[in-house]
Amino acid sequence: MPIAAVPNFAIAAPEMFLAGAAMALLVLGTFLSDAKAARTVSYGCIAALIIAAVIVMALNNGSRTAFGGVFILDGFAVFMKVLILVSAAAVIFMARDYLARHDIDRFEFPILIVLATLGMIMMVSANDFIALYLGLELQSLALYVIASFQRDGTRSPEAGLKYFVLGALASGMLLYGMSLVYGFAGATGFSALADLFKASGGAPIGVIVGLVFIMAGLAFKVSAVPFHMWTPDVYEGAPTPVTALFAVAPKIAAMGLFIRVMVGPFGDLGGQWQQIVVFIAIASMVLGAVAAINQRNIKRLMAYSSIGNMGYALIGLAVAGETADAAVRADGIRNMLIFLAIYVFMNLGTFAVILTMRRGGRMVEEIDGLAGLSKTNPMMALALGVFMFSMAGIPPFAGFLGKLYIFQSAVQAELFGLAIIGVLASVIAAFYYIRIVKVMYFDAPDEAFDGPISMEMKTVLFVSFVFVTFFIVFPTPLLTSAAKATTSLLGG
Amino acid sequence: MTNFPWLSVVIFLPLIGALFILLFSRGTPEQVSRDARAVALWVSCITFLVSLGLWVNFDVRTSDFQLVEKSVWVPGLDLAYHVGIDGISLFFVLLSTLLTVVCILASWESIHERVKEYMVAFLVLETLMVGMFAALDIVLFYVFFEGVLIPMYLIIGVWGGPRRNYAAFKFFLYTLAGSVLMLLAILMMMFEAGTSDMTRLLNFDFAPSLQTWLWLAFFASFAVKVPMWPVHTWLPDAHVEAPTAGSVILAGVLLKFGGYGFLRFSLPMFPLASLEFTPLIYTLSIVAVIYTSLVALAQEDMKKLIAYSSVAHMAFVTLGAFAANTQAVEGAIIHMLSHGFVSAALFLVVGVVYDRMHSREIATYGGLVHRMPVYALIFMVFMMASVGLPGTSGFVGEVLVLIGLFKANSWVAAFAATGLILGAAYMLYLYRRVIFGPLTKDSLKDILDLSPREIAVFAPLLILVFWMGIYPQPFLEVMHVSVDNLLERYHSAIAAHSATALAAR
């Protein structure tokens, strides 16, 4: 009887480093004076995240597993981890100014984000249901806390509580699904399950029921309809930097998880789950487009926008459920990764603008508060205008290429209904995106926002603006890395 | 200078000018406005002159794409930055560059607010328009085609009239809804043919059943752009609310996107579906000719009247394109060019009095000939060109279309011809109410005639209207080979299909 293999710790180096760094910074924070602690720890956390990203990239060398196969590092995980780490670092960076102005500048904030990020990068490396659940819970618990970080207000604790209760429900469903799968298939490892379903050419009904529960839990995490109810309230109530985080890092992590679970253990059951994905993709795109029309609060609007965008991303997953043609499946996943990467940049840029919307020391969250921004701050209006056109999918901006790739996959997989509903929903969604442009450019100017804009915002704004505008000129690097990530996921 | 990248220069020079204005204009608002106007005028003039180089270097004997430039853009998907022109697209490029100059001159004094942004928007628009006509990669084409929405949306919305919000949204969403379906069709074509290269797609035979769907998807986009009845309703709103120069570009160039699209995509790429749907095009176009002409007759707003007349004129273009014989197609192209000058000029004519009186209501005017003789003369020339008087460009286009149409289907030709009569009716009626009659209104007593700048704006359009009307040969010569090639492709594909259908029996 073989003894358990000696764990290959090396590939988990980023996770271990991040865990160590988080604890070290926590200790450091308690020893520093209040005035200095938050600032030092924040930049320490940013440095830790960047270093972790560098380690991840250095480890990018084929597909390897550790800890008895429950932890996997492949090109796909590397791609997702870099995206997650960079966006989390950007959020901590942007949050500096906000926290200081709102009197919640505590050093625990960046550390909680680092812990959540740690959970996320463990999620995308999970190769076993138990490992998956550990990562997911670490992420979720940290996020529940920072959602209610502005604890002297009323809305932030409410958002945190709501997120917690519904999140716990989703985790419960996920766990229940996993236990069903384990009960009927007798394994929790992804590779073992995949082999099992491949060998038997199908799955017992209990596994299918479990699969549905697992999908419900995952759909909650990516805020796909019909498990989206928490999103607008949590987005609106949470402190704005936290909303920015919710819009990017956890979405990417949950999508990564979704992809890995669906094409990994259940890859041969595509016929079973594809129709569910098609349904939630359509429902998310349509609801994201229609429900956002009447929103007056820009954070709620962004919530519906992210619901819609997750719907578009899920088209890629629906394509991957098409078992007929391996190349088409691979394209589906690759195009989904491209879409998600572009989505991250557009959202970071947009939230950088939202975070600067302040008048008389108070945050402005009404869309009408942007009135006449093109006169009071032309550069910011230009940047937000570009992000909005990009999200609406108008060329020549990056968002157009993202949608182009997604729809290309849908057409290749002959999911025409999905594609047609998708493009029509994008026309409806264009209405509220260009309404923001209208408010900024056509309406008479309101008072100017408080200046000056902090250096952090300018940096994030500039980087995302450049990315969104010039992506169409140099799309190749992202395309190649996404293609590599996909090959390692499906080919390995 | 065969290696000189003529097309890229024409496409990107305006964009560089726009960036220059954005980045380097400093100083007081007056200085910024003055500099922006000057830079925009210089850039657009130089672009126009360079674009004349396209014509000089153009070889009229071949139907191949010329002055082609190609470089890799997205390797994995086989997308390329691929541009080139043939006899069909050459004049549309020139039309775009010329009308941009005209627009910038025409807005010299009428735009006071945000001059810098205005000029930037027009230069960006020029890049997108020229790129659209020159693109030979189908995705690149779509990028330019759709990108036009952004500057146009801003032009209508920022510098437009009182109902500009409504008009801008309607314009944007109508056109977007049409084009997204085309995007799916483009993706489908790339999937089927395995390439996005238009020169190869032009010779690819799509399966007949697929052609029907692809044709319909493209039709959704082009019909909105042309615009064809019944999806024309965005046009009057957009025209009425847009600033004068916005209307000029809209009528002069953007409407041609649809007609160009039918000739570039629908006919050669989906010949069988085009044949199948020709009756549909005929019906919609004839309804448009008669219905919108009657609607134009009842208008009280000058811009709205001209907007409806545009719908009627563009219906001639779709009739000509789908009649699919040499005269009709060449007539359609000539008519598009002519409509480009004439409707642009008519909007400028309205703009001249609008700048003075700030009203577009016909009832505000009357007897202008007494105070503005030069204006009355210029108005008359363009009015006659719009009606199709022999000697003007409008005549050449309409007659060619009607001859071709008569060969294809005499009933359709007969109905279409009523458009000429109705066209004369509403234009002459408009002219009588605005120009003739006694000058009774006090507000008009000290209205001034055209300034030299305004005459300079009209001069190139006047020359072109007469040149094309009296001696159209240089224009026809350029397009002849390309049009023949297009029609040969169209008819041989249909013949091949019916041959196989017969053989199958």
Side-chain angles (χ1 to χ4, degrees):
Chain A
M1 193 157 151
I3 313 164
V6 177
N8 176 11
F9 288 131
I11 61 164
E15 283 79 3
M16 287 186 287
F17 168 76
L18 217 51
M23 284 182 266
L25 286 163
L26 190 62
V27 174
L28 179 70
T30 55
F31 281 102
L32 290 172
S33 68
D34 276 359
K36 277 169 66 184
R39 188 184 158 77
T40 318
V41 173
S42 284
Y43 284 101
C45 286
I46 293 170
L49 290 169
I50 301 290
I51 293 171
V54 172
I55 303 176
V56 168
M57 283 192 274
L59 289 171
N60 185 10
N61 182 22
S63 175
R64 286 164 293 168
T65 59
F67 304 108
V70 301
F71 187 91
I72 185 168
L73 187 76
D74 53 6
F76 175 75
V78 171
F79 185 90
M80 293 312 237
K81 282 182 184 184
V82 171
L83 216 52
I84 291 166
L85 290 165
V86 170
S87 54
V91 169
I92 299 181
F93 194 50
M94 291 199 294
R96 291 294 314 132
D97 188 48
Y98 180 94
L99 297 177
R101 285 176 194 266
H102 287 77
D103 242 7
I104 45 172
D105 198 8
R106 294 171 197 286
F107 68 89
E108 289 91 344
F109 183 84
I111 288 177
L112 282 167
I113 291 187
V114 170
L115 288 173
T117 314
L118 175 60
M120 293 173 208
I121 61 178
M122 283 170 62
M123 276 157 68
V124 293
S125 266
N127 201 29
D128 182 286
F129 277 122
I130 305 298
L132 178 158
Y133 191 72
L134 284 178
L136 191 71
E137 281 306 278
L138 177 55
Q139 178 223 236
S140 302
L141 285 170
L143 290 181
Y144 300 146
V145 179
I146 55 168
S148 46
F149 204 74
Q150 204 162 9
R151 58 184 180 193
D152 52 351
T154 51
R155 289 193 306 169
S156 176
E158 184 198 325
L161 192 65
K162 208 172 251 176
Y163 190 30
F164 174 68
V165 172
L166 290 171
L169 183 70
S171 296
M173 284 199 282
L174 197 62
L175 261 186
Y176 185 55
M178 289 173 193
S179 65
L180 276 174
V181 170
Y182 177 66
F184 281 86
T188 55
F190 290 176
S191 334
L193 284 170
D195 292 344
L196 200 70
F197 298 139
K198 194 178 217 69
S200 64
I205 187 74
V207 170
I208 304 298
V209 174
L211 173 64
V212 172
F213 275 104
I214 291 174
M215 289 182 78
L218 291 173
F220 177 90
K221 298 294 174 191
V222 299
S223 70
V225 178
F227 305 100
H228 65 285
M229 268 73 143
W230 60 279
T231 323
D233 293 340
V234 174
Y235 268 51
E236 188 187 0
T240 313
V242 179
T243 313
L245 181 72
F246 282 163
V248 287
K251 291 274 165 23
I252 303 300
M255 270 296 176
L257 195 62
F258 215 150
I259 297 172
R260 194 183 287 285
V261 172
M262 289 302 126
V263 304
F266 301 115
D268 287 301
L269 304 181
Q272 310 286 345
W273 54 262
Q274 190 200 23
Q275 34 190 320
I276 304 182
V277 176
V278 168
F279 169 75
I280 58 178
I282 289 179
S284 305
M285 290 186 296
V286 173
L287 185 118
V290 175
I293 289 175
N294 267 327
Q295 299 304 324
R296 294 280 167 264
N297 182 301
I298 194 157
K299 282 161 80 180
R300 282 188 89 85
L301 181 93
M302 291 307 290
Y304 284 109
S305 152
S306 79
I307 293 172
N309 274 313
M310 287 304 120
Y312 289 104
L314 284 171
I315 293 180
L317 191 59
V319 170
E322 193 74 32
T323 38
D325 186 345
V328 171
R329 290 172 62 179
D331 274 359
I333 300 292
R334 184 200 66 185
N335 296 346
M336 191 172 168
L337 297 186
I338 297 169
F339 182 87
L340 288 173
I342 294 171
Y343 166 82
V344 165
F345 279 95
M346 293 189 301
N347 266 278
L348 285 177
T350 309
F351 273 101
V353 175
I354 296 176
L355 279 165
T356 53
M357 290 167 60
R358 201 181 309 102
R359 221 171 253 144
R362 292 170 50 107
M363 296 303 288
V364 179
E365 291 182 359
E366 277 67 49
I367 293 170
D368 292 336
L370 287 164
L373 187 68
S374 63
K375 281 198 173 148
T376 52
N377 191 340
M379 281 303 155
M380 205 161 90
L382 180 69
L384 187 56
V386 165
F387 297 139
M388 288 300 121
F389 280 123
S390 173
M391 289 212 198
I394 309 294
F397 303 116
F400 163 70
L401 277 186
K403 287 208 172 119
L404 178 77
Y405 282 115
I406 285 289
F407 287 126
Q408 187 213 12
S409 282
V411 168
Q412 280 180 351
E414 301 188 346
L415 296 169
F416 297 121
L418 192 57
I420 290 173
I421 295 174
V423 291
L424 293 180
S426 85
V427 175
I428 302 174
F431 171 77
Y432 63 78
Y433 292 126
I434 64 170
R435 199 183 62 174
I436 294 182
V437 177
K438 171 229 153 198
V439 171
M440 291 191 302
Y441 278 88
F442 307 175
D443 289 359
D446 208 329
E447 244 176 285
F449 291 132
D450 295 355
I453 301 168
S454 68
M455 181 270 300
E456 290 94 343
M457 296 304 168
K458 277 187 184 159
T459 316
V460 175
L461 204 53
F462 180 75
V463 171
S464 17
F465 176 76
V466 168
F467 177 88
V468 171
T469 314
F470 292 102
F471 177 71
I472 195 153
V473 187
F474 306 107
T476 322
L478 178 62
L479 302 191
T480 342
S481 36
K484 275 186 195 146
T486 313
T487 324
S488 84
L489 177 72
L490 296 173
Chain B
M1 287 216 290
T2 44
N3 288 325
F4 184 74
W6 288 100
L7 273 170
S8 290
V9 171
V10 177
I11 294 173
F12 291 109
L13 198 60
L15 192 64
I16 293 168
L19 283 178
F20 187 80
I21 296 178
L22 263 187
L23 297 177
F24 296 110
S25 63
R26 293 277 178 279
T28 63
E30 290 77 38
Q31 280 172 328
V32 170
S33 308
R34 201 190 54 209
D35 294 352
R37 285 192 188 105
V39 173
L41 184 62
W42 274 108
V43 169
S44 57
C45 283
I46 295 170
T47 311
F48 175 61
L49 291 178
V50 177
S51 70
L52 286 179
L54 299 173
W55 197 355
V56 174
N57 284 289
F58 192 83
D59 181 357
V60 298
R61 284 159 303 183
T62 167
S63 65
D64 291 342
F65 287 95
Q66 305 183 28
L67 304 169
V68 173
E69 291 165 43
K70 189 171 184 179
S71 50
V72 176
W73 174 28
V74 184
L77 274 183
D78 190 28
L79 303 186
Y81 171 74
H82 188 184
V83 290
I85 45 171
D86 69 351
I88 298 174
S89 52
L90 170 66
F91 286 120
F92 291 110
V93 171
L94 296 182
L95 182 70
S96 315
T97 53
L98 174 71
L99 285 183
T100 308
V101 180
V102 169
C103 281
I104 286 170
L105 263 182
S107 336
W108 204 257
E109 281 157 13
S110 54
I111 299 293
H112 312 286
E113 271 187 47
R114 305 205 220 181
V115 178
K116 179 173 119 179
E117 287 87 345
Y118 185 84
M119 294 302 166
V120 168
F122 267 92
L123 290 176
V124 170
L125 193 58
E126 183 175 11
T127 287
L128 295 169
M129 293 186 305
V130 176
M132 205 287 311
F133 288 121
L136 288 185
D137 182 284
I138 198 162
V139 174
L140 188 68
F141 162 83
Y142 187 81
V143 167
F144 286 123
F145 185 87
E146 194 84 322
V148 165
L149 292 184
I150 297 175
M152 204 61 216
Y153 171 72
L154 293 175
I155 288 169
I156 297 175
V158 178
W159 294 278
R163 286 173 72 239
R164 56 180 199 257
N165 281 346
Y166 173 75
F169 273 88
K170 196 168 179 183
F171 163 76
F172 194 100
L173 295 176
Y174 248 80
T175 17
L176 184 66
S179 352
V180 289
L181 293 173
M182 181 172 78
L183 178 66
L184 288 185
I186 287 177
L187 291 170
M188 191 66 210
M189 287 163 72
M190 285 166 61
F191 176 51
E192 282 290 311
T195 178
S196 61
D197 185 340
M198 275 160 59
T199 53
R200 283 163 63 193
L201 286 171
L202 281 170
N203 294 307
F204 187 88
D205 293 311
F206 292 99
S209 57
L210 183 62
Q211 280 194 21
T212 308
W213 290 107
L214 295 176
W215 192 93
L216 282 172
F218 275 79
F219 175 73
S221 177
F222 297 146
V224 172
K225 277 275 184 202
V226 165
M228 295 180 73
W229 184 85
V231 285
H232 66 282
T233 57
W234 63 272
L235 185 76
D237 287 314
H239 268 314
V240 168
E241 299 306 325
T244 303
S247 297
V248 168
I249 283 286
L250 199 56
V253 185
L254 297 203
L255 299 193
K256 311 304 176 284
F257 281 24
Y260 173 77
F262 281 130
L263 292 175
R264 178 64 82 224
F265 296 93
S266 303
L267 283 177
M269 293 185 194
F270 323 124
L272 303 176
S274 295
L275 184 69
E276 185 186 342
F277 284 111
T278 300
L280 173 73
I281 294 275
Y282 282 166
T283 315
L284 293 183
S285 302
I286 285 174
V287 171
V289 166
I290 297 171
Y291 168 74
T292 54
S293 297
L294 290 173
V295 172
L297 208 51
Q299 293 307 312
E300 292 301 324
D301 180 312
M302 290 196 270
K303 267 184 147 181
K304 229 173 189 164
L305 191 151
I306 300 168
Y308 278 110
S309 85
S310 286
V311 181
H313 281 290
M314 291 307 289
F316 266 90
V317 172
T318 46
L319 284 172
F322 281 87
N325 52 48
T326 313
Q327 286 93 341
V329 172
E330 287 182 359
I333 298 172
I334 290 280
H335 195 61
M336 274 197 269
L337 296 171
S338 159
H339 179 258
F341 314 138
V342 174
S343 67
L346 286 172
F347 280 114
L348 290 168
V349 162
V350 176
V352 166
V353 286
Y354 182 77
D355 286 348
R356 288 163 172 69
M357 302 298 300
H358 298 283
S359 165
R360 291 180 310 260
E361 292 293 310
I362 296 171
T364 319
Y365 302 98
L368 287 181
V369 69
H370 302 292
R371 288 282 311 174
M372 307 173 78
V374 181
Y375 176 74
L377 180 68
I378 288 179
F379 193 171
M380 188 186 72
V381 171
F382 289 117
M383 186 266 297
M384 290 301 181
S386 173
V387 171
L389 191 77
T392 62
S393 59
F395 173 74
V396 181
E398 279 178 353
V399 158
L400 281 173
V401 168
L402 283 177
I403 292 173
L405 203 54
F406 200 81
K407 281 187 188 168
N409 188 328
S410 49
W411 276 107
V412 175
F415 279 117
T418 60
L420 296 183
I421 303 164
L422 289 168
Y426 61 73
M427 285 314 290
L428 289 170
Y429 186 45
L430 167 74
Y431 191 74
R432 188 187 70 76
R433 283 185 290 173
V434 173
I435 300 292
F436 293 142
L439 184 74
T440 50
K441 300 188 178 63
D442 288 336
S443 50
L444 298 175
K445 289 268 160 65
D446 46 3
I447 193 165
L448 295 174
D449 207 348
L450 296 183
S451 69
R453 178 186 61 84
E454 285 164 339
I455 294 176
V457 170
F458 285 114
L461 299 174
L462 271 177
I463 294 170
L464 281 164
V465 162
F466 284 120
W467 181 11
M468 207 183 238
I470 294 168
Y471 188 60
Q473 188 55 27
F475 299 93
L476 290 169
E477 164 190 276
V478 167
M479 63 186 72
H480 195 70
V481 181
S482 296
V483 168
D484 275 352
N485 180 52
L486 163 74
L487 291 172
E488 193 193 313
R489 155 86 187 141
Y490 175 76
H491 289 297
S492 65
I494 289 169
H497 179 69
S498 41
T500 45
L502 273 179
R505 242 184 263 162

